[in-house]
Amino acid sequence: MKFSIQWLGDFIKVKDFLSHPEKLSESLTRAGLEIESVQDFSKQFKNVVVAEIKEVEKHPNADKLTLCKVSTGKKTYSIVCGAKNHKVGDKVVLALEGSVLPENFVIKKSRIRGEESEGMLVSSSELGLPSQSEDGILILPKEVELGLDFATYYGLDQVVLDINVTPNRSDCLSHVGLSREISCLFDRSFSKSVKKINCDKNLSVKKKLKVEVIERNSCPRYSGRYIEGVTIGESPEWLKQRLKSVELKSINNIVDITNYILWDRGQPLHAFDADKIDSISVKKSIKGEEFVSLDDNTLTLTGEELTIRDKDQVLALAGVIGGKDSSISSETKNIFLESAYFRPEGIRRTSRRFGLQTDSSYRFSRGIDPETVKESLDFACALIQELAGGKVSEDLYDFYPKPLEPKNISITLEDLESRLGYKVNLSRFLKWMKLLKCEIKDSKKESLTVKVPSFRSDLAIKEDLIEEFARLEGYDLIPEVLPKSFLPKPWDSQFVKIQELQKMIRHQGCSQVINYSFSDPDLYREFLKDKEDLKSIGLKPRDFFPIKNPISYRLSIMKNFLTPDIFKNVHYNFRHGNKWGQVFEISPVFYKEADQYKQDYHFVLAKWGQFVDLWTDKKPKNVFYLKSIVENILIRLSYKSFEWEQISPSVFFLHPEQTLLLKVQNKTIGYIGTLHPYLQSKYKMPIDVALAEFDWSELWRCSKKSLKVKNLSPFSTLEKDLTFVIPSHIAIFDIQKEIQKVLGSVCENVEIFDLYEKDNKRSVSFRLYLTPEKEAWTDQNLQEFQNKVIDHIAKKFSVDLK
């Protein structure tokens, strides 16, 4: 947010900061108001001054040029000029050697057609200003002081601070507020100017307009005056320059005054053309009605927005934006000027719903001071009288049924010292509270009661006062010491389980992602047509439910499963050049059961693309990589039994022939599969993408086998390879599991090391790792084990040995 140091000078002495703004910047940053940039506009017009033309002669070597003698009051310069609109005695703008005009145009001494030119007489366009004439240099009024810096004359000698104001410091969103903060930091006197209104006793707003506040909870205070007979026109130069310093364009004198008060006092105002309205009512919108805003956008209202309206139409979205139909125009003669306090939460919802971020909504959504509503209204009315004429009503509307009660916070010296970790001087604390405009109501030794001013809505509890004291005294005073006591780990069982799972997955080469708990409903509808689709992939059927006050539509539901969002991560990475990778997420999923909101934990994995190397050109599908990761997890967690079940899922996002369900102790836990070709095509991802998601809460409820320890066998492990020709409809995992079952404890492991497919048949090679338990085996023993496996598998699955 922009602040002009010159503007701050209306309330506090800041002249010394104009030449050394870094001193002010450093103090504000240390106090929590970070300075993002400092712009000194006067430097842009260094060596550009007001001068007077003393002589004008024709150039001896050029018919279209003239030789001018120009004086700054201290020195006379020879200038070659090509303009035709100047004469002796004119006050002009002289750019001397070393000055740099806009677009990096450097002025140097030069010889033009044989004559020396020591500078340049400049036009409005060459100064980067709105052109005042089609041709020629800028001619200034006769009364302008000779030798004056042009930046000072034109009001461009501004030093502007761009400050990152944190959301809790709404009191600093105006020049008054920042001046008050500087007053506190530098212990300087602060004062606000007051303008007196010349009210007309014969003019009454209550006779002109009926005003009522229906939604008093959403609008605790509403004020307004009637102004009759104004003249709409241009604003004076000082007002234009003030607005320009904070990057606002001048529109007309009435609108400019409301903007000026907003940036000066922090109070948003709105001016209605009183002849275009019949009455004013503050109440909720009607569902489905349309509203045309000042920026010509047509909005369809939902019935939840707070509006300012008359009998037939919406005049404004309260605190956000005005309507076009009741706006100020060049024909406006009579005005109803509104000043109000709206609850921040309602303004935030309306602003987010329609994506409208205005200067008014920015302040209302953070909270303004309700006690300055009438003061700002009267100040604006006095300015309107001064700059636009008109009569101001003697009376005013001021609905304020429940005035704000000041907050009283109790705090002790012990509170301060225990939180900050050092001895606190009570007098220092009292000094800072006084500079913050707080009132000490009770100053007993053991306890203090601090009355907080209305403009500091962020001070509510004693910890807020401790934080204020810490930042004002200096954070560097807080000692850097290790905690004296050992804090035990939070042995929450859920936390420990998740930490254990995270480590296991990370150790297998996956990167962890963290997404919001809320997501895009359109993305979820693309992955699931119905909640029952979850059941077909081994997850519990659950509806996702919407959020009442979402940040945006794209983040408006609570997630009921995790796959869509991790796919979004995969797609983002692929589109930004990461052609392969593997990621995972462990996160809660949300559901509603018997009118109660609940959550379980899921974990989801994704792998896309293939790592390219020079040694292997044939790589297995990514779904097998994820399968190995999951199996390693299950083995590490000591689950008694698990198996994979091949299915043809009805869900839209999975490949119908490359999907497996995981069953642990006959409970279906989740799925693993390849992304459907349609989605690959739609999202332009011509790579292999595998996804998997499992119900971690349900998995943890499954019983584990206890660890058993046995002596190492004194005999070497032997390897035996078998290859079967298997029809494509038979799951390889079933054969692998059956081999393990037939051989029993002597079989350490069964691995698949080769696979070849053709004509709906697969040649699958298994490697058996066999370890004798009591005595060494002969070739005959090995042959017996081999025959036992072959006979059993051939009989049960009707397959052939290759």
Side-chain angles (χ1 to χ4, degrees), residues 488-540:
K489 290 183 179 180
W491 289 114
D492 174 71
S493 59
Q494 188 74 267
F495 173 81
V496 174
K497 295 171 197 171
I498 291 171
Q499 291 291 306
E500 184 180 355
L501 179 61
Q502 285 175 354
K503 288 180 182 177
M504 283 189 287
I505 302 177
R506 282 199 299 264
H507 288 169
Q508 297 184 76
C510 293
S511 299
Q512 186 171 5
V513 299
I514 299 175
N515 292 306
Y516 287 121
S517 292
F518 20 83
S519 191
D520 181 359
D522 291 343
L523 180 65
Y524 272 62
R525 291 189 189 99
E526 186 168 49
F527 273 67
L528 293 180
K529 303 303 179 187
D530 188 86
K531 67 177 181 179
E532 293 299 323
D533 288 347
L534 288 171
K535 191 173 183 180
S536 68
I537 56 172
L539 302 174
K540 295 175 183 175

Side-chain angles (χ1 to χ4, degrees), residues 170 173-174 221-224 255 257-272 317-322 337-342 347 358-370 372-377 380:
S170 59
L173 295 177
S174 67
R221 188 171 192 181
Y222 190 87
S223 301
V255 176
I257 287 169
T258 60
N259 285 332
Y260 173 76
I261 297 297
L262 177 69
W263 288 81
D264 186 71
R265 305 295 169 110
Q267 173 64 50
L269 304 174
H270 189 71
F272 297 94
L317 283 181
V320 180
I321 194 169
L337 188 62
E338 165 197 282
S339 180
Y341 170 71
F342 302 113
I347 304 303
T358 62
D359 288 334
S360 292
S361 68
Y362 183 76
R363 287 158 179 82
F364 275 126
S365 63
R366 284 158 176 76
I368 64 168
D369 181 5
T372 61
V373 167
K374 180 180 178 297
E375 172 192 307
S376 299
L377 174 67

Side-chain angles (χ1 to χ4, degrees), residues 442-454:
D442 188 5
S443 57
K444 296 177 183 177
K445 285 186 178 181
E446 62 274 10
S447 178
L448 301 171
T449 301
V450 179
K451 182 181 177 182
V452 177
S454 60

Side-chain angles (χ1 to χ4, degrees), residues 445-611:
K445 285 186 178 181
E446 62 274 10
S447 178
L448 301 171
T449 301
V450 179
K451 182 181 177 182
V452 177
S454 60
F455 58 82
R456 288 303 300 268
S457 59
D458 59 312
L459 303 182
I461 56 178
K462 64 183 179 182
E463 283 76 13
D464 295 329
L465 296 182
I466 295 170
E467 183 181 356
E468 285 296 287
F469 178 75
R471 77 177 183 89
L472 294 170
E473 276 288 278
Y475 291 119
D476 53 334
L477 293 179
I478 299 175
E480 297 180 8
V481 293
L482 292 172
K484 293 181 180 178
S485 60
F486 172 75
L487 297 176
K489 290 183 179 180
W491 289 114
D492 174 71
S493 59
Q494 188 74 267
F495 173 81
V496 174
K497 295 171 197 171
I498 291 171
Q499 291 291 306
E500 184 180 355
L501 179 61
Q502 285 175 354
K503 288 180 182 177
M504 283 189 287
I505 302 177
R506 282 199 299 264
H507 288 169
Q508 297 184 76
C510 293
S511 299
Q512 186 171 5
V513 299
I514 299 175
N515 292 306
Y516 287 121
S517 292
F518 20 83
S519 191
D520 181 359
D522 291 343
L523 180 65
Y524 272 62
R525 291 189 189 99
E526 186 168 49
F527 273 67
L528 293 180
K529 303 303 179 187
D530 188 86
K531 67 177 181 179
E532 293 299 323
D533 288 347
L534 288 171
K535 191 173 183 180
S536 68
I537 56 172
L539 302 174
K540 295 175 183 175
R542 293 163 175 164
D543 285 318
F544 60 72
F545 54 85
I547 304 167
K548 288 185 177 180
N549 57 337
I551 297 172
S552 70
Y553 177 76
R554 298 296 182 194
L555 296 170
S556 61
I557 62 163
M558 300 301 291
K559 298 190 292 193
N560 60 347
F561 83 125
L562 307 179
T563 300
D565 277 282
I566 205 162
F567 170 73
K568 190 164 65 174
N569 300 140
V570 170
H571 180 255
Y572 180 87
N573 273 272
F574 180 76
R575 300 305 298 174
H576 286 77
N578 292 333
K579 301 303 181 184
W580 65 276
Q582 50 195 43
V583 293
F584 78 98
E585 181 183 14
I586 305 172
S587 180
V589 295
F590 303 88
Y591 59 100
K592 195 173 182 181
E593 189 176 89
D595 295 326
Q596 286 188 329
Y597 294 104
K598 296 183 178 182
Q599 70 178 43
D600 282 335
Y601 276 88
H602 283 197
F603 71 95
V604 61
L605 304 120
K607 182 170 176 26
W608 72 98
Q610 295 283 2
F611 174 71

Side-chain angles (χ1 to χ4, degrees), residues 735-743 750 766 768 789 793:
I735 294 178
Q736 185 180 16
K737 184 175 61 173
E738 200 65 28
I739 293 172
Q740 184 84 51
K741 182 179 177 182
V742 170
L743 294 174
V750 179
F766 298 91
L768 286 55
V789 170
I793 298 301

Side-chain angles (χ1 to χ4, degrees), residues 333-393:
K333 299 297 180 186
N334 305 310
I335 291 172
F336 176 74
L337 188 62
E338 165 197 282
S339 180
Y341 170 71
F342 302 113
R343 296 277 186 198
E345 53 271 23
I347 304 303
R348 282 197 296 269
R349 283 194 293 268
T350 300
S351 181
R352 286 174 181 171
R353 184 174 294 124
F354 298 108
L356 292 170
Q357 177 77 355
T358 62
D359 288 334
S360 292
S361 68
Y362 183 76
R363 287 158 179 82
F364 275 126
S365 63
R366 284 158 176 76
I368 64 168
D369 181 5
E371 295 300 312
T372 61
V373 167
K374 180 180 178 297
E375 172 192 307
S376 299
L377 174 67
D378 289 347
F379 192 87
C381 288
L383 263 180
I384 289 173
Q385 262 192 331
E386 183 181 320
L387 303 183
K391 302 174 183 178
V392 179
S393 62

